């Protein structure tokens, strides 16, 4: 079925290093959302991207939506221990005949930070 | 404070029993969702509801049932037909359409004894 693929599954970084997670869909997305889930917690909405080529920043986090609206990335500059968690992308897939489905979540990227 | 409340936080069930997970929201959101989260699997949609007295199956609805008699409440029943019910269950809600940002509850962890 239609999926939203997310890589890598796990990423170990040293504190202070940068981190990037990538999200890809075989189907054009209406929009894409990013969520963060801390260990033992629940997903928390971070941001939504709607426009082709859109770039948004939240402090050290940079979110991009591809020109073809089929891929997205989240980049964290100079990671801190508070960045630990799982980052999920969630896309709204456009149907061939029109309309859109609900959110389809990627499997997430687990960010592990070594001090 | 507005939010989503899931209860209980931990739940244990004997094989062959049905169990109901509670989800209540006071955000005045129209749409509500149930997800199942397994290690390495991300979030998989079980059921969702866009309006009172209406709900739709998600990707993994077999062995589950829901009701939406009130806007604030969307309980999930895990039936004995669900072969592998041990998982972390998350309830979420959003304004109107299903493509809007979702707010999640703290989850219920269900284990089979």
């Amino acid at each position: 079925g239609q999926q939203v693929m997310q890589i890598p599954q796990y990423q170990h970084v040293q504190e202070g290093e940068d981190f990037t997670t990538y999200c890809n869909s075989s189907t054009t997305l209406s929009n894409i959302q990013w969520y963060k889930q801390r260990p033992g917690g629940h997903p928390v909405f971070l941001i939504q991207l709607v426009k082709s080529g859109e770039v948004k920043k939240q402090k050290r986090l940079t979110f991009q939506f591809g020109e073809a609206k089929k891929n997205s990335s989240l980049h964290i500059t100079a990671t801190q221990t508070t960045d630990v968690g799982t980052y999920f992308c969630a896309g709204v897939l456009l149907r061939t005949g029109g309309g859109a489905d609900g959110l389809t979540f990627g499997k997430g990227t687990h960010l592990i930070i070594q001090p | 404070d507005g939010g989503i409340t899931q209860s209980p936080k931990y739940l244990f069930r004997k094989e062959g029993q049905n169990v109901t997970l509670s989800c209540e929201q006071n955000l005045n959101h129209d749409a509500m969702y149930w997800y199942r989260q397994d290690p390495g699997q991300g979030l998989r949609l079980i059921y969702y509801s866009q309006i009172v007295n209406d709900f739709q199956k998600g990707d993994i609805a077999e062995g589950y049932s829901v009701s939406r008699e009130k806007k604030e409440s969307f309980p999930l029943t895990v039936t004995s037909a669900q072969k592998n019910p041990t998982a972390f269950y998350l309830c979420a809600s959003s304004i109107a359409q299903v493509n809007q940002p979702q707010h999640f509850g703290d989850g219920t962890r269900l284990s089979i004894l």
Side-chain angles (χ1 to χ4, degrees):
Chain A
Q2 294 174 328
Q3 294 182 48
V4 172
M5 307 301 293
Q6 193 173 351
I7 57 169
Q9 187 175 0
Y10 294 91
Q11 183 73 60
H12 293 77
V13 300
Q14 294 283 341
E15 187 176 8
E17 290 182 339
D18 292 356
F19 158 77
T20 305
T21 173
Y22 301 91
C23 192
N24 293 284
S25 170
S26 57
T27 305
T28 303
L29 301 170
S30 169
N31 67 53
I32 193 153
Q33 300 170 19
W34 286 92
Y35 292 78
K36 176 184 178 181
Q37 184 175 22
R38 294 182 184 275
H42 60 270
V44 174
F45 171 75
L46 295 176
I47 208 160
Q48 176 171 279
L49 303 171
V50 180
K51 299 176 183 176
S52 169
E54 189 169 13
V55 178
K56 287 188 176 180
K57 293 191 175 185
Q58 288 180 350
K59 298 183 180 178
R60 294 177 294 105
L61 278 61
T62 301
F63 303 84
Q64 294 187 333
F65 200 11
E67 293 290 342
K69 299 184 73 173
K70 289 186 175 182
N71 57 73
S72 181
S73 65
L74 158 60
H75 179 83
I76 302 178
T77 303
T79 54
Q80 300 174 359
T81 54
T82 53
D83 295 325
V84 164
T86 303
Y87 293 85
F88 292 97
C89 63
V92 178
L93 282 67
L94 289 173
R95 296 194 201 117
T96 305
D101 290 323
L103 279 181
T104 300
F105 280 81
K107 293 188 176 182
T109 294
H110 302 266
L111 174 59
I112 298 115
I113 298 177
Q114 295 154 342
Chain B
D1 286 343
I4 300 178
T5 302
Q6 287 188 244
S7 61
K9 189 169 183 177
Y10 299 95
L11 190 57
F12 299 92
R13 191 194 91 174
K14 293 182 180 179
E15 283 194 37
Q17 285 183 338
N18 292 353
V19 64
T20 297
L21 282 59
S22 170
C23 178
E24 304 278 332
Q25 56 99 358
N26 60 5
L27 298 167
N28 200 31
H29 285 172
D30 288 306
M32 296 187 73
Y33 317 80
W34 274 104
Y35 293 92
R36 171 181 171 139
Q37 186 172 34
D38 296 283
Q41 293 294 319
L43 279 71
R44 292 185 291 170
L45 183 64
I46 304 173
Y47 269 98
Y48 66 98
S49 167
Q50 293 183 259
I51 196 169
V52 174
N53 291 323
D54 186 50
F55 48 83
Q56 307 295 330
K57 291 183 179 180
D59 300 319
I60 54 166
E62 185 175 351
Y64 300 98
S65 66
V66 293
S67 63
R68 187 87 188 275
E69 297 176 2
K70 297 187 301 181
K71 186 175 184 178
E72 302 80 16
S73 179
F74 191 40
L76 173 74
T77 297
V78 184
T79 74
S80 57
Q82 170 49 237
K83 294 186 178 4
N84 184 21
T86 296
F88 187 47
Y89 290 88
L90 286 159
C91 179
S93 70
S94 70
I95 299 170
Q97 295 89 355
V98 295
N99 59 358
Q100 293 301 308
Q102 296 182 11
H103 299 256
F104 285 82
D106 289 336
T108 293
R109 196 166 296 277
L110 175 63
S111 300
I112 301 303
L113 298 177

